[in-house]
C-alpha cells in the first residue's frame, strides 16, 4: 500500500503564512490553547484544583481533548502566572495563592469570577486608592493638552451615559477615563496598571456590583478630576480622585467582610 507522504514542497506550500488553510490551522490551535488556559486557570484560582494537586500531561490531553503541544503551551502560560510548576518525573503541581502573579489581568479576572471575588475587589480597591489620587495629581502637572481635553469630554459623556442608564457605554467611558488618568501621570509604572483597573471595572459590571444608575455625586467627582487636571490643579485633582475611591470602597466593602487576606511570606 502506498504511503500517504506529502512532498516537502507541497507541505511548505500548504503551510505558507498566506495560505488560508494555514490561517485556519493557526486559529484552531490558538482557540484550543486559549480554552486549555481558561479551563485550567479558572479551576486553579477557583479552588477546584487545590494547592499541591498534581496533574499529568497525558491526563490533561484526554480531559481537554487536545494535543500534547497545546497542553505544553497552556502549562507555560500558567507557569508564567505563578499558578503551577513542573516537576520532573512528578508532573504539574498547583502552587499556593501567594505564588500567583496578582497583577496579571487573567488572574484578576479568574479571581473575580470565583469565590474569592470579595478579596480580589478589596485588594484592587486598596491598590487603586493608593495610586489613582497620586496619578491624578501628577496628571494635573504633566499630562499633554490633548489628554486633558479628552478627559474633560469623557467625564461629560460619562454623566450623560450614567443619567440615561446606558451601562455598557458607561463602562467603556469609565475604563477610558481611569486609563487616561494613569497614563497622564507620566509614570510608566502607574500606566501599567491600566489592565488591572480595566478588569476591576469590567468585573464589577459583569457580576452585578454596579448600580443601575451611577450616583450623581460620583459622576460629579469624575468631572471634578477631569476639570482639575485640565486646569493644572493637582491638589483638587487628588482630592476628587480620593473621594471616588472612598466611595468605591464604601460600596464594595460588604462583599469582602468575610474574605481572608493573602499574606505573602517574606523571604
Amino acid at each position: 500500500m502506498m504511503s500517504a507522504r506529502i512532498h516537502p514542497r507541497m507541505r511548505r506550500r500548504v503551510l505558507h503564512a498566506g495560505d488560508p488553510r494555514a490561517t485556519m490551522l493557526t486559529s484552531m490551535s490558538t482557540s484550543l490553547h486559549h480554552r486549555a488556559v481558561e479551563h485550567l486557570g479558572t479551576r486553579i484560582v477557583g479552588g477546584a484544583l487545590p494547592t499541591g494537586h498534581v496533574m499529568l500531561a497525558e491526563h490533561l490531553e484526554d480531559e481537554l481533548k487536545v494535543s500534547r503541544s497545546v497542553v505544553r503551551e497552556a502549562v507555560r502560560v500558567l507557569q508564567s502566572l505563578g499558578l503551577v510548576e513542573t516537576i520532573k518525573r512528578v508532573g504539574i503541581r498547583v502552587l499556593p495563592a501567594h505564588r500567583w502573579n496578582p497583577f496579571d489581568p487573567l488572574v484578576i479576572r479568574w479571581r473575580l469570577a470565583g469565590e474569592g471575588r470579595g478579596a480580589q475587589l478589596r485588594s484592587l480597591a486598596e491598590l487603586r486608592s493608593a495610586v489613582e489620587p497620586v496619578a491624578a495629581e501628577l496628571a494635573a502637572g504633566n499630562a499633554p493638552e490633548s489628554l486633558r481635553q479628552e478627559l474633560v469630554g469623557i467625564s461629560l459623556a460619562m454623566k450623560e451615559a450614567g443619567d440615561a442608564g446606558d451601562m455598557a457605554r458607561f463602562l467603556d467611558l469609565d475604563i477610558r477615563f481611569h486609563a487616561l488618568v494613569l497614563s497622564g501621570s507620566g509614570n510608566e509604572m502607574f500606566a501599567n496598571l491600566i489592565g488591572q483597573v480595566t478588569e476591576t471595572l469590567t468585573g464589577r459590571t459583569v457580576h452585578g456590583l454596579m448600580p443601575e444608575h451611577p450616583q450623581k455625586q460620583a459622576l460629579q467627582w469624575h468631572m471634578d478630576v477631569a476639570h482639575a487636571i485640565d486646569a493644572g490643579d493637582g491638589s483638587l485633582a487628588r482630592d476628587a480622585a480620593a473621594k471616588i475611591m472612598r466611595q468605591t470602597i464604601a460600596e464594595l466593602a460588604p462583599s469582602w467582610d468575610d474574605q481572608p487576606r493573602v499574606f505573602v511570606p517574606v523571604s
Side-chain angles (χ1 to χ4, degrees), residues 12 29 38 54 58-59 68 71 75 80 84 107 119-120 131 136 162 164 172 204 208 220 245 247 260-261:
R12 281 197 296 272
S29 177
E38 285 286 330
V54 174
E58 54 267 33
H59 293 169
R68 179 64 61 90
V71 169
V75 169
S80 72
V84 301
V107 175
Q120 178 67 94
V131 170
D172 289 340
R204 284 190 65 186
Q220 182 60 54
M245 290 315 307
Q247 178 65 31
R261 289 181 176 268

Side-chain angles (χ1 to χ4, degrees), residues 78-247:
L78 297 175
Q79 281 182 293
S80 72
L81 301 178
L83 269 61
V84 301
E85 64 180 352
T86 55
I87 304 174
K88 194 173 183 178
R89 291 190 292 274
V90 174
I92 305 153
R93 185 165 65 187
V94 176
L95 295 174
H98 71 262
R99 295 281 298 277
W100 304 347
N101 178 359
F103 291 98
D104 192 280
L106 274 178
V107 175
I108 292 172
R109 176 152 50 84
W110 292 333
R111 289 188 72 194
L112 288 175
E115 294 183 0
R117 180 182 305 149
Q120 178 67 94
L121 288 170
R122 176 180 57 209
S123 296
L124 288 164
E126 290 172 351
L127 174 67
R128 292 180 62 200
S129 67
V131 170
E132 290 197 42
V134 179
E137 182 177 21
L138 290 172
N142 300 307
E145 184 62 27
S146 59
L147 187 147
R148 297 171 192 265
Q149 293 177 1
E150 183 181 358
L151 200 56
V152 170
I154 286 178
S155 70
L156 295 173
M158 285 177 67
K159 185 177 187 309
E160 293 176 359
D163 289 343
D166 187 349
M167 296 310 293
R169 176 165 166 72
F170 181 84
L171 174 61
D172 289 340
L173 292 167
D174 199 18
I175 289 172
R176 182 68 178 172
F177 180 92
H178 291 281
L180 286 172
V181 171
L182 292 169
S183 176
S185 70
N187 183 310
E188 75 281 3
M189 298 187 78
F190 285 0
N192 270 277
L193 294 175
I194 291 173
Q196 291 79 3
V197 173
T198 297
E199 289 296 340
T200 306
L201 298 174
T202 303
R204 284 190 65 186
T205 301
V206 168
H207 299 295
L209 298 173
M210 286 286 284
E212 290 184 9
H213 291 268
Q215 292 192 13
K216 291 186 181 297
Q217 186 61 73
L219 292 171
Q220 182 60 54
W221 288 331
H222 280 78
M223 288 192 291
D224 291 345
V225 169
H227 285 292
I229 290 175
D230 186 42
D233 190 332
S235 178
L236 182 57
R238 181 170 185 156
D239 288 346
K243 289 175 181 176
I244 293 172
M245 290 315 307
R246 283 197 292 271
Q247 178 65 31

